[in-house]
Amino acid sequence: MERVFDLDETLASVRAALEVGNFQAAVGVLEQLRPADQAEVFSELDEQDQEELLPQMDEEDSADILEWMDDQEAADLAESLSDQDLVRIIDEMEPDEAADLLGDLPPERTSAILAALEDPDEIRPLLVHPEDTAGGIMTSEFMALRRRMTISDALTAVRLWAPDPRAETVYTLYVADAQGLLCGVVTLYELLSAPPDALVRDIMRSDVIAIEASADQEEAARRMTRYELLSLPVVNADGRLLGIITHSDVVEVIEAEATEDIQRLGGAQPLTRAYLSTSVMQVARSRVGWLLLLFLTETLTGTVLRVFEGELKAEVALAFFVPLLIGTGGNAGSQSTSTIIRALAIGEIALRDAFHTLWHELRTGIVLGVVMSAVGVVRALLWHTNPGVALAVGVGLLLIVIWANIVGSLLPLLATRLKVDPAIVSGPFMSTLVDATGLFIYLSVAKLILGL
């Protein structure tokens, strides 16, 4: 039975070896681990230890570590290596991973490294695509069959090519014509089960699901998820096969996009590296902009209170319920916003569904508003406030929850229409907006009911 990986124990062993300058012992510990575990241990080491240890390791292990590390950490580590060591390691990396790493280095150094690589032509085409596009995450390491090949020849070609026993690129094989235009797809299982003298064109499917290199990486992830694909071919505007996106690439995209959205939900700019590897000043910079903006918008709440200062003096009990009402409104709006953002992200709704979405949230808001209104009235009466104030609290809660649901459903759709990440308008921003408007609704209702 394989031994379970223990980060603390392994890290202690590596650090103990490094403290006495025994690099071979440290390398020996790391070589027993899987690539993902190697990268996790490596990320916990001091920068100086990383810079000294990586060149001592086998090229394949070093390549795996850089591939599994966070992009910014890998780029920083690569910057510290000599050109000779970096070339040796990049030669063992997957083309798409190598392109991502080189894309984070200064252009002059990227050119120098490319010139020294054994096969730079695998990587160069990948560098021209922005990293958040389908072309930016595709790999050029794939095999294209020809329509007139026999099944026997096709299988022989697969055996000769065989990039890696763990490669994801051999399960689904694509067929291209003499001009490189994508014209079909066939699975490895179909090749193995077909008669050896049959032609590839006889068993291939011509209705290939593909994506253009300029498309957003999130669209590539959605397409692969929707159609349960192990890989997705990437083509140019003319339909020429450029590369493929594998399942592991999509997992990384989904994780990165989810991380980015969650950080934005909290009112902060996404971090470019692992949390504990990000300095205090960088974390602060990622948050201070939104904090200042939210601080300024929160002053609207103070403005509303100043407008209704006379009414609050006349009926002090109204102030007791301000936190309750604006808090409920902010929470209801955040619930609505997060639900709509998720539905947009996974394709359950689109801009064309705006009216239906609004109607759905309006009815939901009415139901929730009635429930919260009843609870609010009971709570107000239990505090022995006069019935007029209790009624104002109940009606205010009903209207605020309905309003919060309306705003919470419209803002993400509006952001999508303006091509802005919907996560930006959620979380604290939603709560702040509903705080001010909800307070205005509550005090306006109280003024009307109590005749202030």
Side-chain angles (χ1 to χ4, degrees):
M1 184 175 180
E2 187 175 353
R3 185 182 178 188
V4 177
F5 169 66
D6 187 308
L7 174 61
D8 294 332
E9 180 182 333
T10 305
L11 188 59
S13 299
V14 172
R15 282 175 171 163
L18 292 175
E19 284 177 3
V20 296
N22 191 344
F23 289 101
Q24 291 307 312
V27 169
V29 174
L30 289 171
E31 285 180 343
Q32 298 176 35
L33 306 177
R34 297 178 183 272
D37 298 332
Q38 289 178 335
E40 185 174 4
V41 173
F42 215 81
S43 296
E44 295 292 328
L45 298 176
D46 296 334
E47 290 183 8
Q48 184 177 350
D49 289 335
Q50 291 180 356
E51 295 166 9
E52 293 176 349
L53 183 58
L54 193 68
Q56 307 287 332
M57 300 185 67
D58 178 77
E59 292 90 343
E60 290 187 7
D61 288 332
S62 299
D64 285 338
I65 287 173
L66 287 181
E67 288 177 359
W68 279 92
M69 290 178 74
D70 289 332
D71 289 347
Q72 192 57 53
E73 287 184 357
D76 291 343
L77 180 54
E79 273 279 7
S80 67
L81 301 177
S82 67
D83 284 0
Q84 181 180 356
D85 287 331
L86 190 54
V87 167
R88 182 172 56 85
I89 294 171
I90 289 181
D91 269 329
E92 298 298 325
M93 294 178 70
E94 296 293 327
D96 55 331
E97 299 287 354
D100 289 342
L101 180 61
L102 290 173
D104 290 331
L105 299 180
E108 305 79 19
R109 187 154 196 219
T110 297
S111 299
I113 297 299
L114 279 171
L117 293 175
E118 289 182 4
D119 194 0
D121 292 336
E122 280 190 337
I123 299 173
R124 277 201 177 93
L126 304 178
L127 291 170
V128 302
H129 304 288
E131 62 179 18
D132 59 349
T133 64
I137 62 172
M138 73 179 182
T139 179
S140 59
E141 191 174 51
F142 68 96
M143 183 179 189
L145 303 176
R146 294 287 183 260
R147 286 179 292 186
R148 296 184 180 180
M149 293 178 74
T150 65
I151 301 303
S152 177
D153 290 341
L155 288 172
T156 299
V158 171
R159 292 190 193 97
L160 292 174
W161 178 62
D164 187 313
R166 300 168 299 170
E168 304 167 273
T169 55
V170 296
Y171 303 129
T172 305
L173 299 164
Y174 299 97
V175 184
D177 63 17
Q179 286 73 45
L181 299 178
L182 179 64
C183 58
V185 60
V186 62
T187 66
L188 184 59
Y189 174 79
E190 290 169 335
L191 287 178
L192 291 170
S193 58
D197 56 348
L199 299 179
V200 169
R201 69 183 179 188
D202 296 332
I203 65 169
M204 76 177 193
R205 285 169 281 115
S206 57
D207 56 334
V208 189
I209 298 171
I211 193 166
E212 283 198 25
S214 59
D216 190 273
Q217 61 179 4
E218 286 190 77
E219 174 58 30
R222 277 193 292 267
R223 202 164 295 186
M224 289 187 70
T225 302
R226 179 181 179 84
Y227 298 107
E228 298 182 337
L229 303 175
L230 289 177
S231 62
L232 179 68
V234 180
V235 298
N236 63 11
D238 298 324
R240 187 182 301 275
L241 184 59
L242 303 177
I244 67 172
I245 298 172
T246 64
H247 195 267
S248 62
D249 296 325
V250 167
V251 171
E252 291 177 7
V253 169
I254 293 173
E255 181 182 0
E257 294 293 343
T259 300
E260 182 179 300
D261 286 346
I262 289 171
Q263 289 174 346
R264 282 180 169 157
L265 280 169
Q269 288 298 315
L271 301 177
T272 58
R273 57 171 61 197
Y275 172 71
L276 290 178
S277 299
T278 306
S279 69
V280 171
M281 290 304 298
Q282 288 174 317
V283 174
R285 276 198 298 270
S286 74
R287 300 177 184 177
V288 68
W290 272 107
L291 278 179
L292 289 173
L293 176 61
L294 295 173
F295 175 82
L296 292 174
T297 54
E298 279 286 9
T299 59
L300 293 174
T301 303
T303 302
V304 173
L305 288 173
R306 288 175 62 87
V307 169
F308 288 93
E309 184 178 1
E311 288 77 2
L312 289 170
K313 285 181 178 178
E315 187 61 69
V316 177
L318 290 173
F320 301 161
F321 301 95
V322 167
L324 173 68
L325 270 76
I326 63 176
T328 300
N331 292 335
S334 295
Q335 286 180 333
S336 176
T337 299
S338 59
T339 302
I340 301 303
I341 287 175
R342 186 57 185 164
L344 284 168
I346 61 178
E348 290 183 349
I349 61 173
L351 285 174
R352 64 178 178 275
D353 302 311
F355 179 78
H356 185 65
T357 301
L358 177 60
W359 176 234
H360 201 67
E361 283 298 317
L362 175 60
R363 289 178 294 167
T364 302
I366 292 173
V367 173
L368 293 174
V370 169
V371 173
M372 298 308 299
S373 175
V375 174
V377 169
V378 172
R379 180 70 235 182
L381 293 175
L382 289 175
W383 278 355
H384 305 294
T385 56
N386 71 62
V389 172
L391 180 60
V393 169
V395 175
L397 270 171
L398 173 63
L399 296 179
I400 288 171
V401 171
I402 293 173
W403 168 244
N405 275 51
I406 292 173
V407 175
S409 63
L410 289 181
L411 274 181
L413 292 168
L414 179 61
T416 302
R417 180 70 180 84
L418 298 175
K419 300 188 183 305
V420 176
D421 190 339
I424 294 176
V425 303
S426 61
F429 185 76
M430 162 58 62
S431 297
T432 303
L433 176 62
V434 175
D435 281 356
T437 54
L439 184 59
F440 180 81
I441 291 171
Y442 165 56
L443 294 177
S444 297
V445 168
K447 181 178 180 179
L448 182 63
I449 291 176
L450 298 175
L452 301 175

